[in-house]
Amino acid sequence: MKKIIIIILILILIIGGCIGVWLYHEKKENERLDRESVTIKEEPTAQFGKKVKVSDFLVNLNGILVEDYEIDTERVGTYDISFEYINIKNKKRTYNFKLNIIDVTLPQIFSGESYSVTVGYNKNLTDVLLSADDVDDNPKREIIGEYDFNTPGDYNLTYAVTDASGNKVTQDFVLHVKEKTMGGTTVPKEKEKLNLEDVLSNYKTEKTKVGIDVSKWQGDINWQEVKNAGVEFVMIRVRISNRL
């Protein structure tokens, strides 16, 4: 009886050992298949907004892809991509890899080759010159070059726009800073005094008229003399009282 029990125990140990060895080799074989069944492109990368599928990144697949689905590329960054396949042992397996989605599209500049402002302009040029990017809502905008809103002249500048991915576009333009005008005639700077002769010489044309602004501070005015001097109209401020 003891011999039978011993034999049974030995058989159990042998069978258990064989099962253990088989399970070990099966595990190692599955691990080998998992390593060798799928080969992904080195440093897989996709462009933002471009349509791509899982198969676009497979170099080799020893098996059958369960679903060759389209990957979402409407976001920039590195993301985990997972897919399932049936290996050569007809077992469903899952594979994971990292995909880097990048933005390679340059920002767009819609402004022209020149921009005009009047003396004393107080807005930021980067807020009024038109530009946009397909991903970055607030790209870095800058004006390269020196200019002065308080000094009339033409300034050669460069408008540069850089998005969060480092894509940069530039455009040269000329900033024209001009004197303030009214009715096509340049308005002299504040507190700048001009002789009537200079005004007639510099600003009188077939399309313009020269006039003066008067008030009580001028006292008695010889209107005939004003007319003879070349003045064609007069602006007079009148204050109307409600009293009767």
Side-chain angles (χ1 to χ4, degrees), residues 41-87:
K41 289 182 178 179
E42 186 176 354
E43 298 182 359
T45 302
Q47 294 183 18
F48 173 84
K50 184 177 181 180
K51 291 184 178 181
V52 294
K53 294 184 177 182
V54 171
S55 58
D56 293 327
F57 305 98
L58 294 176
V59 176
N60 180 62
L61 176 63
N62 292 329
I64 301 173
L65 193 62
V66 174
E67 180 185 4
D68 189 14
Y69 65 89
E70 189 173 293
I71 298 173
D72 178 16
T73 59
E74 294 297 326
R75 49 186 180 166
V76 174
T78 301
Y79 299 94
D80 292 321
I81 306 300
S82 177
F83 65 90
E84 294 180 328
Y85 67 97
I86 306 298
N87 66 13

Side-chain angles (χ1 to χ4, degrees), residues 42-189:
E42 186 176 354
E43 298 182 359
T45 302
Q47 294 183 18
F48 173 84
K50 184 177 181 180
K51 291 184 178 181
V52 294
K53 294 184 177 182
V54 171
S55 58
D56 293 327
F57 305 98
L58 294 176
V59 176
N60 180 62
L61 176 63
N62 292 329
I64 301 173
L65 193 62
V66 174
E67 180 185 4
D68 189 14
Y69 65 89
E70 189 173 293
I71 298 173
D72 178 16
T73 59
E74 294 297 326
R75 49 186 180 166
V76 174
T78 301
Y79 299 94
D80 292 321
I81 306 300
S82 177
F83 65 90
E84 294 180 328
Y85 67 97
I86 306 298
N87 66 13
I88 58 177
K89 287 190 173 184
N90 203 35
K91 292 184 178 180
K92 182 182 287 188
R93 312 297 287 175
T94 300
Y95 191 89
N96 300 290
F97 69 96
K98 291 187 178 297
L99 176 63
N100 187 24
I101 301 174
I102 61 174
D103 172 27
V104 296
T105 303
L106 294 176
Q108 296 291 311
I109 293 177
F110 304 104
S111 298
E113 297 180 352
S114 66
Y115 190 78
S116 298
V117 300
T118 56
V119 171
Y121 189 77
N122 58 6
K123 292 184 179 180
N124 193 328
L125 283 179
T126 57
D127 293 334
V128 296
L129 296 179
L130 299 179
S131 63
D133 186 70
D134 61 340
V135 179
D136 190 355
D137 292 334
N138 296 292
K140 179 182 178 182
R141 299 177 171 93
E142 55 185 332
I143 304 298
I144 301 173
E146 299 294 329
Y147 59 95
D148 183 0
F149 285 145
N150 295 315
T151 302
D154 297 330
Y155 300 88
N156 295 313
L157 306 173
T158 299
Y159 184 32
V161 183
T162 308
D163 65 23
S165 296
N167 301 306
K168 182 177 182 179
V169 64
T170 62
Q171 177 172 305
D172 295 334
F173 72 101
V174 179
L175 173 65
H176 304 286
V177 179
K178 301 180 178 181
E179 293 280 11
K180 294 181 179 180
T181 61
M182 182 179 296
T185 303
T186 302
V187 179
K189 294 180 181 179

